[in-house]
Amino acid sequence: ITSTSFVLKFLESKRKWVEKIFESAPQKEKIKPGSTIEIFGRTVRLVHDENMRRNCYMDEYKTTLCIGGGADMFERRVRDFIKEELLTEIRTIIKTTPHEYWPKHITLRDTSSRWGSCSSTGNVSFSWRLAFAPYEVMRYVVMHELSHRKHMDHSPDFWANVSELYGFGVERAKRWLSKNGQSLHRYF
């Protein structure tokens, strides 16, 4: 067990580093009717209609999302809708790959440092915040995790597999995530 005074001294010695980390962290944006958010690289305006029983896009281009129900549940309903959409998109992407890459089970999590994971039993997990990334970036993470179905490491063979599944532009998507990943935590 570490003493409180030791911990406080340690934190004081690292004060500038800690302050720098907190300053660079994205500020949370409050979600409310009239807000615009980025979903799969599209700018989407949020509207509220308490009389609607179902949440849905109001146009064919999916640029206006109408959220039904009480105002007190607005944020939760937006978050739940986005998670459902992401799961649908992930399943669609998976179906474009050969069957041997298909996972046994898919889960969504709210992770702060990992965008996805693949277990040795064939289950994959993704951060639901990938919905706020451009579609190509989200697709890159899916292909990355599916490649672990064949290579449970980050060997040259693994990266070749990611490139094969993703196709042209994989490096661009990877760079975007590395540079902008923290911005995916700006909502909620």
Side-chain angles (χ1 to χ4, degrees), residues 6-188:
F6 178 82
V7 171
L8 291 173
K9 285 179 186 175
F10 174 79
L11 285 174
E12 186 59 41
S13 73
K14 303 294 182 188
R15 176 188 292 270
K16 291 207 183 296
W17 176 78
V18 170
E19 288 173 349
K20 182 180 175 185
I21 295 298
F22 276 99
E23 286 173 11
S24 66
Q27 297 298 312
K28 294 288 185 187
E29 293 181 30
K30 183 79 172 147
I31 300 296
K32 60 185 187 276
S35 295
T36 58
I37 61 175
E38 295 290 320
I39 306 173
F40 306 122
R42 294 186 316 269
T43 301
V44 177
R45 185 172 61 92
L46 304 174
V47 297
H48 179 241
D49 181 348
E50 66 182 34
N51 297 315
M52 284 196 58
R53 299 176 65 70
R54 223 179 95 225
N55 306 320
C56 62
Y57 287 109
M58 302 299 290
D59 60 325
E60 66 179 299
Y61 300 107
K62 298 183 177 183
T63 60
T64 304
L65 174 57
C66 187
I67 302 297
D72 59 327
M73 299 299 281
F74 185 79
E75 271 196 18
R76 186 183 67 82
R77 289 176 188 257
V78 170
R79 187 173 49 245
D80 290 349
F81 182 87
I82 291 169
K83 287 178 180 181
E84 288 173 23
E85 288 284 300
L86 177 63
L87 203 49
T88 298
E89 292 293 334
I90 289 171
R91 286 181 176 135
T92 300
I93 290 168
I94 289 170
K95 288 178 182 175
T96 68
T97 65
H99 195 268
E100 68 258 23
Y101 289 98
W102 293 14
K104 292 184 178 169
H105 187 69
I106 305 165
T107 56
L108 296 180
R109 302 193 189 286
D110 192 6
T111 57
S112 59
S113 62
R114 296 178 73 173
W115 301 115
S117 64
C118 179
S119 73
S120 58
T121 59
N123 298 322
V124 293
S125 178
F126 298 98
S127 169
W128 76 273
R129 294 177 181 281
L130 286 170
F132 303 122
Y135 180 85
E136 297 80 18
V137 173
M138 184 264 301
R139 186 173 160 273
Y140 157 70
V141 175
V142 173
M143 296 307 181
H144 179 112
E145 297 312 326
L146 294 181
S147 292
H148 282 306
R149 298 278 288 129
K150 281 199 169 185
H151 305 279
M152 289 300 291
D153 56 23
H154 287 103
S155 65
D157 287 341
F158 165 81
W159 288 111
N161 202 129
V162 173
S163 293
E164 181 183 326
L165 287 178
Y166 186 92
F168 180 77
V170 67
E171 288 301 320
R172 181 176 47 237
K174 186 177 173 184
R175 276 192 311 273
W176 188 99
L177 190 59
S178 177
K179 182 179 177 185
N180 302 294
Q182 282 303 99
S183 70
L184 304 182
H185 293 278
R186 70 183 176 268
Y187 307 120
F188 305 99

